[in-house]
Amino acid sequence: MDAYKQSQYHLDILTDLETRMSWATKIEPTKENEQFLDENHPLQKSISILDKEFPTANDDIGMKVYYAWGLGLVDRTGVNRLLEPDNFGVPTFESNFDFNDQCQVELLSFSDRLKTDPKYRGLIKRKNGVGQVYSFIEELAAFNVYGNLNNCTEVKKGDWRNAAWQVDTADLPEMMPKFLEQKTCFADDGETVASRYSKEVGWDGATLRYAAISAESDKLDPFGRDSEFLTRQEYDQFILLAEEADELVSVHCSGSVVMTDLDEKFVFMNNQSIYVQTAIQSAILGVCIAFVVLLVSTRVFHIALFASLSITCVLISVVGTMVMMGWYLGSIESILIGIIAGFSVDYVVHLAYAYEIASGDTYERITEAFGDLGISVFNGMITSVVASIPLFFCQLQFFAKFGTFLCLTIAFSWIFANFGFMSLLAQLKIPLKEKGRGCRL
């Protein structure tokens, strides 16, 4: 091949690589629920229609977001969710939490705002125009005035607000057991106060360790896994609401408010963010490790460098193709990107080693390397690509995407190892020193 054709050949490769690189930079985190089945699967179609085409109904369950006073950070000493998935740690409580009269007034005022303030429409789920808020302080106040919750009409009407409804904390040990046994006025199935406010009332049998108010999210539900994009939007608004609660309530109840959910939606949102970061970090780390391994095994700097460039090209090409196919960066894609370097090092390291142990000038080494391992590398590529094809027909998205990823990675690895790495060695003709100790540049 003459110099002009060689230059044209390398220009074509660089042009294709530049195109895929531009696509790779456009990859975005997923903005929809991650699908576990193929989008054309009848069950997945049903799930997608229910998620996207039907508006939220009043009776649908929303994810509860809690605002708690008196709670500290969870002690996670010795926690390993991988081995003990149900071990979340030990809760801690703020010793300065004070359930005084003014604290109760502000808690009631805050719950009223969540129910009626129109600025929370779209954030907090509404039913009959009223926010779905779980506030035990309202029924506790009515119980303190009436002595029971038998007349729910009076409880909901709120005439008890005109009386001295605040509860003396000294009376709580005697009052709370009776109060928790009452039938709540805000449920139609005879549910007790203890059941309805099981997470909001921090009563340990002797003292009130914490007090919480919860509200149902209008966009999030406790089922499935939403995208980071949607969850982050809701989370940021709930954080702003927590800051407002801090200014209104915390000064009287002592301590800061803790905002959380118990469905691990916010934890999963954070995990999705970590997936994006670790996908990039692990891909870069994989290329760096491959370079070190190649340098140690060949002790030839330019061979290790060119092989690492080949792996980088595979990484860019696979990610670019994923974007072209309409993939977004979810948990599956993040894991796959993280292992690209490990999958793509196989062919280039074989050819690099064969080139390094060969003898003669550059062309003789390339000829010998292809003669010794070229057919083996080709057969390895064919068997891996063929093995990935059955995965294309899997209904579960992880296996289907893994099959596509495997096919792309193997194909690009073979292409860049043969037509990129070896061509670069042939073009530059960098001579190798005689074998000996040290790095042979």
Side-chain angles (χ1 to χ4, degrees):
M1 184 182 294
D2 58 36
Y4 173 78
K5 290 183 178 180
Q6 288 180 348
S7 300
Q8 187 64 39
Y9 169 77
H10 289 102
L11 182 61
D12 291 341
I13 292 180
L14 290 175
T15 302
D16 179 76
L17 187 61
E18 182 182 3
T19 302
R20 296 185 187 279
M21 184 182 296
S22 66
W23 278 97
T25 58
K26 297 177 182 178
I27 192 164
E28 297 177 340
T30 180
K31 297 181 180 180
E32 298 180 348
N33 291 351
E34 293 196 64
Q35 298 180 355
F36 293 97
L37 295 169
D38 183 82
E39 61 181 6
N40 293 318
H41 191 280
L43 182 58
Q44 186 60 57
K45 282 185 175 181
S46 301
I47 294 173
S48 299
I49 290 172
L50 288 173
D51 282 344
K52 299 177 182 179
E53 303 300 331
F54 287 91
T56 303
N58 284 341
D59 293 331
D60 289 344
I61 300 174
M63 184 192 77
K64 292 176 72 174
V65 179
Y66 296 83
Y67 294 91
W69 288 264
L71 280 177
L73 297 177
V74 177
D75 182 5
R76 301 187 183 278
T77 305
V79 173
N80 188 331
R81 295 289 306 283
L82 185 64
L83 300 178
E84 299 177 284
D86 295 328
N87 182 12
F88 293 89
V90 180
T92 62
F93 305 96
E94 294 185 351
S95 58
N96 60 341
F97 171 63
D98 187 4
F99 192 62
N100 56 60
D101 289 359
Q102 191 60 36
C103 174
Q104 296 173 43
V105 170
E106 297 301 334
L107 284 172
L108 181 61
S109 175
F110 180 62
S111 67
D112 288 342
R113 285 186 60 186
L114 296 181
K115 288 181 179 180
T116 60
D117 197 326
K119 76 175 184 179
Y120 301 129
R121 187 181 301 274
L123 177 64
I124 296 175
K125 187 177 179 61
R126 314 306 260 203
K127 185 175 183 179
N128 299 324
V130 180
Q132 290 289 82
V133 177
Y134 295 73
S135 174
F136 77 93
I137 190 68
E138 188 172 352
E139 295 196 87
L140 178 63
F143 179 79
N144 188 39
V145 173
Y146 300 133
N148 58 64
L149 299 177
N150 296 336
N151 192 338
C152 287
T153 302
E154 291 296 324
V155 173
K156 294 179 179 180
K157 186 177 179 181
D159 287 343
W160 47 266
R161 293 173 184 263
N162 300 322
W165 58 265
Q166 292 87 344
V167 179
D168 188 340
T169 53
D171 297 334
L172 286 176
E174 180 181 352
M175 179 185 297
M176 288 301 289
K178 298 177 183 178
F179 169 65
L180 295 174
E181 292 175 353
Q182 297 288 310
K183 297 291 180 62
T184 178
C185 290
F186 296 97
D188 299 327
D189 54 0
E191 186 179 13
T192 64
V193 169
S195 175
R196 181 173 177 81
Y197 305 111
S198 60
K199 303 295 190 302
E200 287 82 2
V201 180
W203 180 252
D204 65 356
T207 58
L208 189 67
R209 306 300 297 273
Y210 70 88
I213 294 172
S214 65
E216 289 190 23
S217 170
D218 188 53
K219 299 290 192 304
L220 304 176
D221 60 61
F223 316 106
R225 295 299 188 189
D226 297 297
S227 70
E228 184 201 1
F229 179 78
L230 172 62
T231 309
R232 180 74 63 180
Q233 285 184 324
E234 299 303 300
Y235 175 81
D236 290 341
Q237 293 183 74
F238 282 118
I239 284 292
L240 292 175
L241 187 52
E243 293 174 356
E244 293 180 20
D246 245 345
E247 296 177 0
L248 297 172
V249 183
S250 298
V251 65
H252 301 289
C253 296
S254 300
S256 300
V257 64
V258 174
M259 188 279 290
T260 187
D261 75 299
L262 298 181
D263 298 301
E264 299 190 57
K265 285 293 187 84
F266 296 150
V267 172
F268 185 71
M269 173 197 72
N270 186 60
N271 289 345
Q272 288 179 300
S273 177
I274 293 174
Y275 288 147
V276 176
Q277 299 172 17
T278 54
I280 299 172
Q281 294 171 356
S282 57
I284 295 173
L285 181 61
V287 174
C288 294
I289 292 174
F291 172 78
V292 172
V293 171
L294 287 162
L295 184 61
V296 171
S297 60
T298 64
R299 292 186 293 176
V300 182
F301 179 81
H302 75 272
I303 290 180
L305 177 63
F306 295 164
S308 299
L309 288 175
S310 173
I311 296 171
T312 304
C313 291
V314 174
L315 174 63
I316 293 171
S317 298
V318 172
V319 175
T321 306
M322 288 166 60
V323 178
M324 291 179 187
M325 295 170 61
W327 291 15
Y328 288 93
L329 193 58
S331 57
I332 297 174
E333 293 80 4
S334 300
I335 293 171
L336 297 179
I337 290 174
I339 62 176
I340 284 178
F343 271 88
S344 59
V345 73
D346 191 27
Y347 304 136
V348 72
V349 74
H350 280 82
L351 293 176
Y353 177 72
Y355 177 86
E356 189 269 335
I357 64 173
S359 56
D361 60 17
T362 299
Y363 286 130
E364 290 173 341
R365 286 175 179 273
I366 290 175
T367 301
E368 186 175 339
F370 276 131
D372 288 345
L373 288 179
I375 188 64
S376 300
V377 169
F378 178 76
N379 288 335
M381 182 272 293
I382 291 297
T383 54
S384 297
V385 168
V386 172
S388 70
I389 292 176
L391 293 175
F392 295 172
F393 305 100
C394 290
Q395 295 299 319
L396 293 178
Q397 282 293 281
F398 176 81
F399 295 110
K401 287 188 173 182
F402 183 78
T404 304
F405 159 82
L406 180 61
C407 183
L408 289 174
T409 304
I410 295 301
F412 280 121
S413 298
W414 184 84
I415 290 171
F416 280 106
N418 286 270
F419 302 109
F421 171 70
M422 297 300 280
S423 297
L424 195 58
L425 291 174
Q427 180 71 22
L428 298 180
K429 302 182 181 67
I430 300 176
L432 294 181
K433 296 180 180 178
E434 292 298 323
K435 290 185 179 180
R437 301 198 172 200
C439 188
R440 298 188 290 145
L441 299 176

